[in-house]
């Protein structure tokens, strides 16, 4: 089987000054995930490891450095899916978990699929994931960003554009040909308290089915949800097109049906990877068997 791994670090109007930290961050995450696959680890382990790296990197809108909601707090969402079994796990509105993707994985392994807020944090404690203070995840950059939004509240239609940081995601194919995908985010800058976007929604922000492939999405969550972007992208792999063609078809649907903006990464069962986006930038990195090194761009 052909090993492959692709990650993204968000799509949007990433400013010039943030390009290099994004590019570097996705490259490191892809390396870490790749090492897991090379050592015989599962696609799920690789996805989790790569996403943890980006959650811990304040360049990205996930885990530490997540954007703040209107109340000045972080609320994080994450999801993970096993393409071999169609098992999935998701959490939303989590405030005190440093690595929400780890929690999503534990939810996947439990009897339920989706836990939110207080219940998700209670579950974290039950399975031995320590809680951290919300304040410990807030970075000075995001506090300044929030203060700027408080002073000059963005018009509702503009609110989705104010964050240069990115959601993160990963799709991996392991030695057994199993595919997994995951997504983690702090959501949209200055979002309403309790707002949940596409990222933790199975089919919208993430999808994996090892008969076809796996996907992780980023961008304007309300639009992505309405077209179920990740499932649409995975279904577009039927018949064996290049994954970038399937990703393009999915993003075209996002744009034409609901005027949405965003990006999606894909890997298919043959270990081919691809991506597409209709924003000005998207941070991404990939590596597959036969390649000497990770290719990262933003
Ligand atoms: N899709 C995420 C959300 O709507 C945001 C992003 O990808 O940047 O919460």
């Amino acid at each position: 089987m052909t090993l492959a791994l692709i990650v993204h670090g968000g799509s949007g109007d990433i400013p010039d000054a943030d390009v290099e930290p994004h590019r570097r961050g996705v490259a490191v995450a892809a390396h870490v995930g790749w090492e897991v696959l090379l050592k015989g680890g599962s696609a799920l382990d690789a996805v989790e490891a790569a996403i943890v790296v980006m959650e811990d990197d304040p360049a990205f809108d996930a885990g530490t450095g997540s954007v703040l909601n209107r109340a000045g707090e972080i609320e994080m969402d994450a999801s993970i899916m096993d393409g071999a079994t169609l098992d999935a796990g998701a959490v939303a509105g989590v405030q005190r978990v440093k690595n929400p993707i780890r929690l999503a994985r534990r939810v996947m392994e439990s009897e339920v699929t989706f836990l939110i807020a207080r219940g998700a944090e209670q579950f974290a404690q039950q399975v031995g994931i320590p809680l951290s203070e919300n304040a410990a995840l807030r970075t000075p950059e995001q506090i300044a960003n929030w203060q700027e939004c408080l002073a000059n509240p963005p018009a509702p239609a503009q609110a989705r554009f104010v964050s240069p940081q990115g959601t993160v995601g990963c799709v991996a194919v392991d030695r057994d040909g199993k595919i997994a995908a995951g997504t983690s985010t702090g959501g949209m800058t200055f979002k309403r308290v309790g707002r949940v976007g596409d990222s933790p929604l199975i089919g919208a922000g993430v999808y994996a089915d090892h008969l076809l492939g796996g996907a992780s999405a980023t961008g304007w969550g309300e639009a992505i949800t309405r077209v179920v972007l990740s499932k649409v992208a995975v279904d577009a792999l039927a018949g064996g097109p290049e994954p970038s063609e399937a990703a393009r078809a999915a993003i075209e649907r996002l744009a034409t049906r609901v005027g949405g903006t965003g990006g999606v990464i894909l890997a298919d069962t043959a270990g081919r990877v691809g991506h597409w986006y209709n924003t000005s930038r998207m941070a991404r990195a990939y590596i597959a068997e036969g390649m000497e090194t990770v290719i990262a761009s933003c």
Side-chain angles (χ1 to χ4, degrees):
M1 286 298 177
T2 309
L3 303 182
L5 182 129
I6 181 165
V7 304
H8 72 77
S11 65
D13 295 333
I14 300 168
D16 291 348
D18 289 331
V19 165
E20 193 42 33
H22 272 71
R23 206 197 54 77
R24 207 178 323 119
V26 289
V28 173
H31 271 294
V32 169
W34 187 241
E35 284 297 315
V36 172
L37 291 178
L38 285 182
K39 288 188 183 129
S42 70
L44 278 169
D45 289 341
V47 165
E48 182 179 335
I51 289 181
V52 163
V53 169
M54 295 185 281
E55 286 178 336
D56 289 344
D57 183 341
F60 300 106
D61 173 22
T64 305
S66 287
V67 301
L68 308 193
N69 64 15
R70 289 187 194 176
E73 292 174 338
I74 288 175
E75 291 179 308
M76 298 164 288
D77 311 325
S79 58
I80 193 162
M81 186 157 183
D82 179 351
T85 57
L86 301 189
D87 284 338
V91 294
V94 168
Q95 295 203 282
R96 294 183 295 161
V97 175
K98 184 169 159 282
N99 295 111
I101 194 70
R102 287 205 197 286
L103 184 56
R105 173 106 185 246
R106 299 304 294 267
V107 170
M108 186 189 83
E109 291 161 356
S110 79
E111 82 291 4
V112 295
T113 302
F114 203 152
L115 287 174
I116 63 163
R118 186 167 55 95
E121 292 180 1
Q122 276 173 5
F123 175 78
Q125 287 180 295
Q126 283 160 13
V127 297
I129 294 179
L131 298 184
S132 32
E133 286 305 310
N134 194 254
L137 307 176
R138 289 180 224 150
T139 58
E141 291 76 17
Q142 291 306 334
I143 292 170
N145 200 3
W146 174 71
Q147 283 165 341
E148 171 67 19
C149 287
L150 269 187
N152 301 298
Q158 295 304 316
R160 64 180 190 266
F161 300 120
V162 294
S163 172
Q165 271 71 28
T167 292
V168 305
C170 178
V171 185
V173 186
D174 67 23
R175 193 61 80 197
D176 297 328
K178 292 184 174 164
I179 294 190
T183 305
S184 181
T185 189
M188 296 292 201
T189 300
F190 214 58
K191 64 186 180 182
R192 276 179 195 281
V193 174
R195 178 266 186 190
V196 176
D198 61 300
S199 306
L201 303 181
I202 306 307
V206 75
Y207 202 72
D209 179 344
H210 90 293
L211 297 179
L212 290 167
S216 169
T218 167
W220 177 20
E222 281 69 16
I224 290 171
T225 298
R226 288 188 284 150
V227 298
V228 205
L229 186 69
S230 291
K231 177 73 162 69
V232 163
V234 168
D235 285 348
L237 290 168
E242 280 292 327
S244 55
E245 270 307 299
R248 187 179 63 78
I251 294 296
E252 260 175 32
R253 188 178 174 95
L254 175 73
T256 55
R257 291 293 287 132
V258 293
T261 50
V264 67
I265 55 170
L266 269 178
D268 72 6
T269 40
R272 299 181 304 168
V273 297
H275 72 277
W276 202 266
Y277 58 100
N278 65 354
T279 49
S280 57
R281 287 187 164 127
M282 176 170 169
R284 72 272 178 190
Y286 64 93
I287 180 161
E289 210 131 44
M291 286 172 54
E292 277 177 12
T293 179
V294 165
I295 308 284
S297 12
C298 180

